Amino acid sequence: MTKKQRALLAVEALKKEYPDAICSLTYTDPLQLLIATRLSAQCTDAPALFERFPTLDAFCAGSEEEIAELIRSCGLYKTKAKDIFNMCHVLRDTYGGVIPDTVEELTKLPGVGRKTANLVVGDIYKKPAVVTDTHCIRIANRLGLTESTVPLKVEQDLRAVLPPEESNDFCHRTVLHGRAVCSARSLKCASSFMRAFCKNPVQKD
């Protein structure tokens, strides 16, 4: 079985098991998605941050210190506050307040890497995207779709085997599957609906 054949089986199996391919982050507009991704899914301070700074202009009129105070529960909160503050100024001054629609432009923003850029491109602009978070990387390896754990290489490998129109939803579904079944520690291989074609099942049921 080729990687592309295995990828197509995984796409269909995940689609059947998780019909709603949804982003795990809560947001109401593109700017909030961009910032929420920078904060990470584990950060619980996003609602308070967005209540205080509901718009791009509000962020620009604020300060790094106030942003930092509102996201103290996040790891590296001072660095993230600086990135968010600077990013908002670049968005306003360079991009006219419009969130870029390509990975290349998005990664020019302070603190924005390819994972965040792909998420925005896929979820906001509905373009083919591959978000290589830890769940996606782990499951892609176990399925045999890549042999790398380097995010950029995994992204390239997945782009080569996934139908472009399915790639964004595939990544969202791997997050759901990674949390429910194929986690890093508590695996449920025997009950996995992808066991039949999983190249590297781990016997820890």
Side-chain angles (χ1 to χ4, degrees):
M1 185 184 298
T2 67
K3 288 183 179 180
K4 186 167 286 190
Q5 290 171 328
R6 193 176 293 109
L8 292 175
L9 289 173
V11 164
E12 293 307 314
L14 287 165
K15 189 184 297 186
K16 182 178 180 180
E17 187 72 13
Y18 309 104
D20 298 321
I22 56 174
C23 178
S24 59
L25 297 170
T26 301
Y27 64 96
T28 59
D29 59 47
L31 178 64
Q32 287 193 3
L33 176 59
L34 194 57
I35 292 173
T37 309
R38 182 68 186 95
L39 294 177
S40 85
Q42 286 73 40
C43 182
T44 60
D45 291 333
L49 180 68
F50 296 140
E51 183 177 353
R52 170 62 184 86
F53 299 109
T55 65
L56 179 65
D57 286 339
F59 272 105
C60 291
S63 67
E64 286 182 37
E65 292 73 21
E66 188 173 6
I67 295 171
E69 189 60 33
L70 287 166
I71 61 170
R72 287 183 68 90
S73 74
C74 298
L76 302 173
Y77 71 95
K78 290 184 179 179
T79 299
K80 291 179 180 180
K82 181 178 181 179
D83 285 342
I84 291 168
F85 184 73
N86 291 336
M87 177 183 71
C88 288
H89 279 270
V90 173
L91 283 171
R92 184 192 65 183
D93 299 339
T94 303
Y95 295 94
V98 178
I99 308 296
D101 64 352
T102 67
V103 170
E104 291 70 28
E105 288 299 314
L106 282 162
T107 51
K108 293 178 183 178
L109 299 172
V112 176
R114 291 190 67 86
K115 183 178 77 170
T116 297
N118 270 287
L119 184 61
V120 171
V121 166
D123 276 35
I124 300 300
Y125 294 108
K126 309 304 179 185
K127 295 182 178 183
V130 176
V131 182
T132 52
D133 83 326
T134 56
H135 294 290
C136 181
I137 291 172
R138 182 174 67 254
I139 291 170
N141 270 271
R142 288 177 181 165
L143 286 172
L145 304 182
T146 183
E147 289 78 45
S148 178
T149 57
V150 178
L152 177 57
K153 183 63 169 66
V154 175
E155 178 187 335
Q156 293 169 338
D157 289 345
L158 289 179
R159 285 185 185 276
V161 298
L162 291 171
E165 69 277 9
E166 299 284 358
S167 59
N168 194 46
D169 286 347
F170 173 86
C171 294
H172 283 322
R173 290 178 174 122
T174 59
V175 173
L176 298 174
H177 188 61
R179 291 173 176 171
V181 178
C182 193
S183 69
R185 296 178 181 177
S186 180
L187 309 180
K188 302 179 180 67
C189 289
S191 61
S192 175
F193 52 88
M194 294 197 289
R195 184 181 180 88
F197 55 86
C198 182
K199 189 174 182 181
N200 303 299
V202 181
Q203 301 297 329
K204 289 188 179 181
D205 297 300

